[in-house]
Amino acid sequence: MTVLLLDPLRPTLVPVQAIALLNQPVGFTEEVPVSVRWRLAAHTSTTPDDRPEVLVSTSRDNPDVRERIDRGEDVVEARDRPSAERRPGALAEAVDVMDRLRTLGGWEATQTHESLRTYLLEETYELLDAIESGDAVAVREELGDLLLQVLFHARIAADAETDAFDIEDVAATLVAKLTHRSPHLSDTSGAPVDVAAQERAWEERKAAEKVRGSCLDGVAFGQPALALAQQVTTRVVRAGLPTELVPDDVLAVRIDVSPDHGGASAEDGLRRRVTAFAADVRAAERAAAMDGLRPTDLDGPAWTKYWPGDVPGHGVSGE
């Protein structure tokens, strides 16, 4: 007879010395997550009156556990090291709580990256509202909600059958990116940071990391149309595109509020115009590539030379 005590924060981790025990009839206390029971279902005692050879629990205080321990049964415990030693602090606790929620078999266990998209967007806007309000308490709360989304997505990724990763991998990737793109981190001179040089170094190292086929690669076209228009125009102008090639109806937004506007959506209209402009940018880059030029090789005259069609006319237009 043996009691197997799992770590309540990581109940799916079973110590090596317990593996052989699981070939015997197994029972569970009510604290054990459903996902753990499913994995051991083949060994579970099926008769209510059975006294399983191995009782699995996550709580030493459970009455059944205490009773068996008092009877002198062996105890195998999965606490290889304290949780606080693994990840000290409240951030570590948040990671562990998210892990447990995911393994309990409730709502969290049914979610996917796709199903959480709406929540991620909502939490982002709520944080922006909190920042606008200047309420520090609200900002702290909304940052926590946004952090939850990061932890949630990372925990979902940890369950993937292929290309799995967890929050530690996410953090490691971020650290590697920050240290590579921020050479001033290794500057021990104590001199003031040259912000312009810092920005140049960031962009240069980013470009070296990611060889892009277009100056628009990496732009999220699913973002709101106004933000999309701003990011696209900023990218192309930074890439050397003459401003006269940017249509006025992308640079300016017109909202028709007249009674007979016909239900036209300003959001959809601007998105269509920005998308069409982006297609022209990519067409010019492809034409230049035929002559052996990369997007980073293009200057103003080259952009004009390879631009599809005429230079856009000016004068704000609406839809």
Side-chain angles (χ1 to χ4, degrees):
M1 296 288 188
T2 306
V3 174
L4 172 57
L5 285 174
L6 302 177
D7 187 334
L9 296 177
R10 292 178 173 272
T12 58
L13 297 183
V14 177
V16 173
Q17 62 268 34
I19 294 177
L21 297 174
L22 298 179
N23 291 324
Q24 308 173 64
V26 175
F28 305 95
T29 61
E30 59 271 19
E31 296 89 1
V32 179
V34 173
S35 60
V36 175
R37 304 185 196 193
W38 287 341
R39 295 178 188 185
L40 301 177
H43 308 288
T44 304
S45 295
T46 56
T47 304
D49 294 334
D50 281 350
R51 185 177 181 85
E53 290 291 325
V54 179
L55 179 64
V56 179
S57 181
T58 57
S59 174
R60 185 180 285 269
D61 295 327
N62 181 280
D64 293 336
V65 171
R66 288 202 306 268
E67 187 267 335
R68 293 181 68 140
I69 292 176
D70 291 342
R71 286 171 55 89
E73 293 186 15
D74 293 333
V75 177
V76 176
E77 196 161 2
R79 296 176 183 273
D80 55 339
R81 60 189 187 276
S83 174
E85 184 179 325
R86 288 196 303 267
R87 296 192 186 97
L91 184 57
E93 188 175 2
V95 174
D96 288 329
V97 168
M98 184 68 251
D99 183 67
R100 188 175 183 194
L101 285 171
R102 179 71 175 173
T103 58
L104 282 174
W107 179 84
E108 289 81 4
T110 68
Q111 300 309 299
T112 65
H113 291 306
E114 185 68 25
S115 70
L116 293 178
R117 287 180 56 171
T118 299
Y119 299 104
L120 178 60
L121 190 60
E122 289 176 355
E123 298 299 353
T124 301
Y125 281 123
E126 288 176 11
L127 174 58
L128 292 174
D129 284 346
I131 293 173
E132 181 69 21
S133 73
D135 185 337
V137 174
V139 171
R140 182 180 65 187
E141 180 179 355
E142 297 304 336
L143 281 171
D145 289 343
L146 196 56
L147 174 61
L148 169 61
Q149 296 301 308
V150 175
L151 297 179
F152 210 155
H153 281 280
R155 184 59 185 80
I156 290 171
D159 290 332
E161 294 183 0
T162 59
D163 300 323
F165 60 85
D166 62 14
I167 192 65
E168 295 288 348
D169 299 312
V170 173
T173 301
L174 174 61
V175 170
K177 177 187 293 186
L178 292 176
T179 53
H180 179 256
R181 297 185 187 179
S182 307
H184 63 289
L185 284 174
S186 58
D187 184 358
T188 59
S189 67
V193 175
D194 184 331
V195 176
Q198 178 187 358
E199 292 178 343
R200 283 196 303 273
W202 180 279
E203 293 299 330
E204 289 169 0
R205 296 192 175 203
K206 179 179 178 181
E209 291 171 5
K210 301 180 178 181
V211 179
R212 299 189 184 278
S214 169
C215 64
L216 296 179
D217 286 355
V219 173
F221 277 77
Q223 63 185 300
L226 187 57
L228 175 62
Q230 183 177 25
Q231 188 174 11
V232 166
T233 53
T234 299
R235 281 284 193 96
V236 297
V237 171
R238 184 183 295 166
L241 185 81
T243 54
E244 60 265 22
L245 293 179
V246 183
D248 277 350
D249 58 7
V250 169
L251 290 173
V253 179
R254 176 182 175 183
I255 301 175
D256 187 353
V257 295
S258 63
D260 58 349
H261 63 78
S265 166
E267 170 78 12
D268 292 343
L270 179 58
R271 182 176 301 281
R272 284 194 296 272
R273 296 194 296 272
V274 175
T275 301
F277 172 59
D280 286 342
V281 171
R282 294 184 188 276
E285 291 172 328
R286 287 195 299 271
M290 297 292 289
D291 289 340
L293 297 176
R294 298 170 300 176
T296 52
D297 297 328
L298 301 180
D299 56 12
W303 277 109
T304 301
K305 173 183 176 181
Y306 293 107
W307 194 255
D310 298 328
V311 173
H314 285 250
V316 178
S317 62
E319 295 194 9

